[in-house]
Amino acid sequence: MPFPVQQAPSPVPATLSTAVPNDEPTTAGFDKATGFHRHLHTPRVLFGRGFTLKQVVFGLLLVFCLTPWASPPIALALGLVLAQTLGNPFGTQTKKATAKLLQFSVIGLGFGMNAHAAVQAGKLGILFTVGSIFGTLLLGFLVGRWLGLGRHVVHLISCGTAICGGSAIAAIGPVLRAKDEEMSVALGTVFVLNAIALFTFPPIGHALAMTQNQFGLWCAIAIHDTSSVVGAAATYGTQALEVATTVKLARALWIIPISIGTAMIFKQKGVKVKIPYFIFGFIAAMLVNTFVPAARPLGPVMVSLAKIGLTVTLFFIGAGLSAKVVRSVGPKPYVLGILLWVVISVGSLYVILHTV
């Protein structure tokens, strides 16, 4: 699942790492800032290899995310703090690893799910899915015109909100032949709101005494990215996790028809529709867990590894959301994203509480 990251600053050349001569006029603030900058980027030898302080801190936080004490919200928070302070020293690497790690984690979760229960969850969420997707796309179009935003940005943010966040934007963008800045704006908008949802939804669910089924369904409909849907549902309960994952992945399959419709509406010819094949891996894992008894002992191990992978994924995502990324989006896309998110969250919550 692609997302915008801040590239790591280049190391300070050795010629700049020497002390400032005493006879040169400097201010105390400049000295402190320059000294801190040098301290961050000057390599130190550790175990026979050179590491900067930023890299060491990143490594320690990553190791913590592999422990039982780290949860998805904590991992995301640690990544956000790192991005806003020291910065991500491995921006390129974490960007490449995030999508694959999320996909493998989702497949691993399939080994802990029952196909019969998943079918029931899918039936429960199909009407909500269809109504919310087309309602969000229509509302996004109308609000986007009112705000005067470009058609591509509006459609990308609307698809990210309606289907599955960054994955939908990454799939729809090439179909639109969207520019890099349009993709970045959409991804930045959706992810900021996605991160907020991960922290706010579980407390709201507990405050409203939502059942596991209700909360799982609400997460799948109202939270953008699969990573945060699974993260929020996992903190609420096992049954909520099962419902949320199943409904969200079924929702993600709508990338295919929406991509085809996008190519037709925007009159784009010769484009390639991106299919989320990892969803079929999740289905295969779920079928193995349900119908192959000999493989069931493997289930708890795979689920545990999947949850660790998800935690690391959210740490990587948080580490990519720098203050520069947040500021570069501008106010209007956030207004569009917030309005769509509030409408779909409040509307689906009301319907779920009164019908499920």
Side-chain angles (χ1 to χ4, degrees), residues 2-145:
F3 59 94
V5 297
Q6 180 187 21
Q7 295 296 326
S10 301
V12 178
T15 55
L16 297 181
S17 62
T18 55
V20 179
N22 292 332
D23 56 348
E24 292 187 10
T26 60
T27 63
F30 179 81
D31 285 340
K32 290 179 181 179
T34 304
F36 181 68
H37 188 268
R38 291 171 182 164
H39 187 60
L40 284 178
H41 298 286
T42 302
R44 313 287 182 184
V45 177
L46 184 66
F47 302 118
R49 298 187 61 183
F51 296 92
T52 65
L53 177 60
K54 289 172 61 173
Q55 293 172 335
V56 172
V57 172
F58 180 94
L60 292 174
L61 293 177
L62 178 58
V63 170
F64 175 76
C65 290
L66 300 174
T67 68
W69 299 287
S71 65
I74 290 176
L76 179 63
L78 291 175
L80 289 170
V81 171
L82 179 69
Q84 309 310 313
T85 54
L86 303 182
N88 182 358
F90 302 105
T92 301
Q93 294 87 338
T94 55
K95 181 178 180 179
K96 291 180 179 179
T98 299
K100 295 296 182 184
L101 188 57
L102 174 60
Q103 291 171 4
F104 286 124
S105 298
V106 168
I107 292 172
L109 290 174
F111 285 98
M113 298 189 180
N114 182 277
H116 303 296
V119 169
Q120 291 301 117
K123 289 180 180 178
L124 182 67
I126 188 167
L127 292 178
F128 292 100
T129 295
V130 174
S132 60
I133 286 177
F134 287 101
T136 301
L137 292 177
L138 176 59
L139 180 62
F141 171 74
L142 296 175
V143 175
R145 289 192 63 180

Side-chain angles (χ1 to χ4, degrees), residues 154-181:
V154 170
H155 191 63
L156 288 172
I157 293 175
S158 300
C159 288
T161 305
I163 307 174
C164 56
S167 297
I169 293 171
I172 301 294
V175 175
L176 281 175
R177 293 192 172 99
K179 299 176 182 178
D180 288 343
E181 55 266 30

